[in-house]
Structure formats: structure tokens, C-alpha cells
Amino acid sequence: MSAPTGYMRQLMAAAMLLALTACTTTKVASLEEPAAAPMTGQTNDPAPGFETVAAGSEEDFILNVGRRIYFKQDSATLDSVAMATLDNQAIWLNKNPTWLLKLQGFADDSGSASQMETLSQKRADAAMAYLVSKGVDARRMWAKGYGNDREVRDCTERSCKVQNRRVVTNLRSQPDAA
């Protein structure tokens, strides 16, 4: 390759690089993706993608309040962590009185199916009674125990089984069909 040809190729490559760096995609990017909310560094900053969750919505309840509480094996007694979650639920529910809620109780497989169904119902009833004690109208709620029919995880490890011993609060706009 001759010196002038090699020089021309280098010159063309440099020109192409300059042309590419002059191009910007900020206009295109701003059309495709909304700007992220400014982050303050606080723990209550919205998670990316959830900046526009409406207050009082089901998403708000799930993200900002929490809908699950957990129990010790063979127990329907609320511990301090469960009560703190239910306290937050009660505050939110009292601010948003149009929502109804279904409290679903679950159990692991540490007993017979009938024992676990009874226990899961006691767990759901305990959560409901606690919410009523915090001012949530009992007519807005119903509780159902499902035993161990709907396990989150099928496992034998103790640390895994705790995930199945729970009550899940599900918001509803109308009662479930009978």
C-alpha cells in the first residue's frame, strides 16, 4: 500500500469518527424513556420505574405498605414484625376506605391437611381481628384459610418453610363471588 493511500484511509477514519461523535441521541432517548425522578439518597426514594405509582392504588399498597405477614410453626400468634406490618396496613386502609380486603391464610406441611387448614384460618382471623382493633371496619374484610394447598415453595428446609406460613392481604374492589 502506498503512503498516500494509507494516509487517506487514516484521514477518512478520523473524519468518520468526528462525524459519529457529533451525533447525539438525547432527543431520541427523551422520547423513548421518561426522565428518572431525582434521587435524594433517602431510603424512601421511589424504586426506578415506580415513580408514578398513584397514592391509594393497589401498587401503592404492595410497594409501600406490604401485604404479607409470617408466623412461627404451628402458631397463629402475631409477632412484633407482623403487628408492625398490620399497623401500616391499618393506617393505609383507614386513609383509603373504598378498598375491601381478603385475608388469605396459609400453612406449611407440618401437620395433616385438616390441621393446616384450621391453622391457616386462625392466622387469617388473627390478622383480621388485629386490623379491626386498629379501626378498620370488619365489614370491609373477609378471611379464608387455605391450609398448605398453595405453597410458595415446596421444600424441606426450615428456612424455606417459613415462606409458606403466612397471611396475604389482597385488595378487592368488590367481594369475591360466593
Side-chain angles (χ1 to χ4, degrees), residues 19-131:
L20 285 173
T21 58
C23 294
T24 62
T25 59
T26 54
K27 288 183 182 176
V28 173
S30 67
L31 294 174
E32 293 176 0
E33 192 172 318
M39 300 301 274
T40 63
Q42 301 298 312
T43 57
N44 62 348
D45 279 342
F50 295 99
E51 299 89 357
T52 60
V53 170
S57 68
E58 188 171 9
E59 294 84 5
D60 176 40
F61 183 80
I62 292 167
L63 290 170
N64 298 315
V65 177
R67 61 185 216 157
R68 287 182 177 82
I69 58 172
Y70 298 94
F71 295 84
K72 292 181 180 175
Q73 185 172 345
D74 298 324
S75 174
T77 303
L78 300 169
D79 65 14
S80 61
V81 175
M83 287 188 273
T85 299
L86 291 169
D87 287 341
N88 289 334
Q89 287 182 6
I91 291 166
W92 191 93
L93 289 163
N94 287 327
K95 287 181 185 175
N96 298 283
T98 58
W99 285 107
L100 304 176
L101 54 150
K102 180 178 185 178
L103 296 157
Q104 296 178 294
F106 301 96
D108 60 20
D109 59 358
S110 61
S112 72
S114 64
Q115 287 173 322
M116 294 300 100
E117 188 171 330
T118 300
L119 179 58
S120 66
Q121 184 65 50
K122 287 180 180 178
R123 288 172 174 166
D125 291 340
M128 184 171 162
Y130 190 86
L131 289 170

Side-chain angles (χ1 to χ4, degrees), residues 156-174:
T156 56
E157 297 86 37
R158 188 174 142 214
S159 62
C160 172
K161 285 187 175 220
V162 72
Q163 296 174 44
N164 295 322
R165 300 189 299 261
R166 68 199 187 281
V167 167
V168 179
T169 303
N170 288 298
L171 298 180
R172 297 282 195 266
S173 56
Q174 59 188 18

Side-chain angles (χ1 to χ4, degrees), residues 2-20:
S2 67
T5 306
Y7 177 74
M8 286 300 289
R9 282 190 178 164
Q10 288 179 342
L11 190 58
M12 288 296 288
M16 287 183 4
L17 281 173
L18 283 172
L20 285 173

